[in-house]
Amino acid sequence: MSRIVVKVGSNVLTRRDGKPDVTNMSALVDQIATLREDGHEVVLVSSGAVACGRGAINPSRQLDSVASRQLYSSIGQIRLINLYSQLFGAYGIVIGQVLTQKENFDSRSGYLNQRACMQTMLENGVLPIVNENDTASLTELMFTDNDELSGLIAAMTDADILVILSNVDGIYTGAPSEPGSRLIGRVAPGEDLSGYVVASKSGFGRGGMGTKCGIARKLADEGVAVYIACGTRPGVLVDLIRRPAEVPHTLFVPAPDALSTVKRWIAHSASFAKGVVRVDAKAAEALLSDRPTSLLPVGVTAVEGEWEEGDIVTILGPSAERVAVGRASLSSAETAEAMGLRGQRPVVHYDYLYTEN
Ligand code: GLU
C-alpha cells in the first residue's frame, strides 16, 4: 500500500471554454476510487478553480489580475468541489476540502498543524482535495503554482509517490511538438536535465515544465517517486501505479537515502527564509562536507535580516553562493553577538540543516 499524492492541472479539468470538463473529472475520480480499492491512500491536489470561475461569469468592468483571480476562484472552487463531491459520492467516498496558502507552511507550528489536519483526514478515510486559497493569498506570497503546492503536500504527508498530471506525457528532449523530440522515461537521482527542459506553459494553469521538473527533482532527492504524465490519457493513473511500463511518462527515480521529515520541511522552506547568515570559506566547506556539521558562530561573517529562534535562515558562502537552509537555534541578535567567537552554541544545529549538495 502506498500513499499517493495526485496533482491535476487546470488543463485536464477544464474545457477550452472554461467550463469544468466533467468527462475528464469523472475519469479521474473513477481511477482514484480504483486506487483506493487497491488499498492505496490518495491525496488530490486539484487546480481548476480560477478556470471554472472564468467560464461562469462576465465581470462588469475590466479587472486586474488579483481581482479576477479572487473573483473567479471564489466562484469556481465551489463548482469544482461540488462536482468532486457528487462524483466521489457515487463511490461512497467522503471528500474534505483543504484550502491553504503559503503562510500556513512558513513556521514549524503552522506546518505541523497542516500536517496533523491531513493526517486526521486520512486516518478517517476522508479524501483530502487540496487547492491554494486563491481568494485570500497575497500575490507576493503565492505558491508559484499548484505544482509547488503538491510538492509541499507530498513532502508533508510522507507520500511514497507524487503523480503530476498535465496535458503532455512528460519531459521531452525538446519541444513535444518538434519531430526529433523524445520522451525521457527515467531521470536518475542527480541526472542533469538543464539541456532539455522546455520552459513553456500552455493553457489555463500557472505552472510550466520548468517548475514541474524542479519540484520533481527535489522530491525525488527526498525519497519520493515522482511521475509526470498526461492526465487525459485513458486509465493513466491506474496504469502508472499498476503497470507503469505500459503508459508513457517521465519517472524521477527516488534517491535511496531519504531525508528525515524535519529536513524535508526545511528543504521546502527556502522561500520562507527570514534572514541570511554569511559564512567564511572554511565554514562553507565544512557544511558541505560529508561529516554532519552544525553551523557555529565562529564561521559567521555577517548577519542580515531579523529572525527569532526557530525561524528559517539561508546560509550563504563567501561568494554569496547558497550553501544551506536551516532552522535557526539562535535569534538574529544572538547570532550577531556571538559572530566570530569560539565556544558558542550553534546558530543552526546539524539536525535542522539542509545543505545544497
Ligand atoms: N489554484 C489555481 C486554481 O485552482 C491553480 C494554480 C495553478 O495553475 O497551478 O485555479
Side-chain angles (χ1 to χ4, degrees), residues 98-134:
V98 179
L99 292 180
T100 190
Q101 54 205 89
K102 219 165 189 176
E103 294 96 306
N104 297 344
F105 292 84
D106 72 358
S107 69
R108 182 83 182 139
S109 61
Y111 178 84
L112 289 176
N113 178 48
Q114 276 281 263
R115 191 179 144 102
C117 158
M118 304 286 290
Q119 194 60 42
T120 312
M121 293 172 84
L122 290 171
E123 267 167 30
N124 286 284
V126 173
L127 176 91
I129 303 188
V130 186
N131 195 2
E132 178 160 15
N133 189 357
D134 288 295

Side-chain angles (χ1 to χ4, degrees), residues 37-82:
E37 276 162 24
D38 285 355
H40 301 296
E41 273 177 334
V42 181
V43 175
L44 178 59
V45 178
S46 177
S47 303
V50 172
C52 279
R54 191 179 286 127
I57 192 170
N58 263 327
S60 54
R61 61 178 169 87
Q62 176 86 28
L63 297 174
D64 64 27
S65 61
V66 174
S68 58
R69 192 185 74 232
Q70 291 173 329
L71 175 69
Y72 294 147
S73 65
S74 71
I75 302 163
Q77 180 65 26
I78 311 176
R79 296 183 168 225
L80 201 64
I81 212 77
N82 266 326

Side-chain angles (χ1 to χ4, degrees), residues 297-325:
V298 65
V300 175
T301 55
V303 171
E304 292 163 19
E306 278 182 27
W307 67 86
E308 299 296 323
E309 179 197 335
D311 285 341
I312 297 292
V313 290
T314 305
I315 297 156
L316 299 183
S319 329
E321 75 283 16
R322 198 164 89 179
V323 174
V325 186

Side-chain angles (χ1 to χ4, degrees), residues 8-54:
V8 55
S10 304
N11 291 315
V12 179
L13 299 170
T14 35
R15 303 189 318 202
R16 276 177 177 280
D17 63 2
K19 300 250 162 54
D21 191 326
V22 184
T23 314
N24 280 351
M25 279 180 77
S26 53
L28 180 76
V29 168
D30 293 347
Q31 296 185 74
I32 292 177
T34 306
L35 292 181
R36 284 177 49 120
E37 276 162 24
D38 285 355
H40 301 296
E41 273 177 334
V42 181
V43 175
L44 178 59
V45 178
S46 177
S47 303
V50 172
C52 279
R54 191 179 286 127

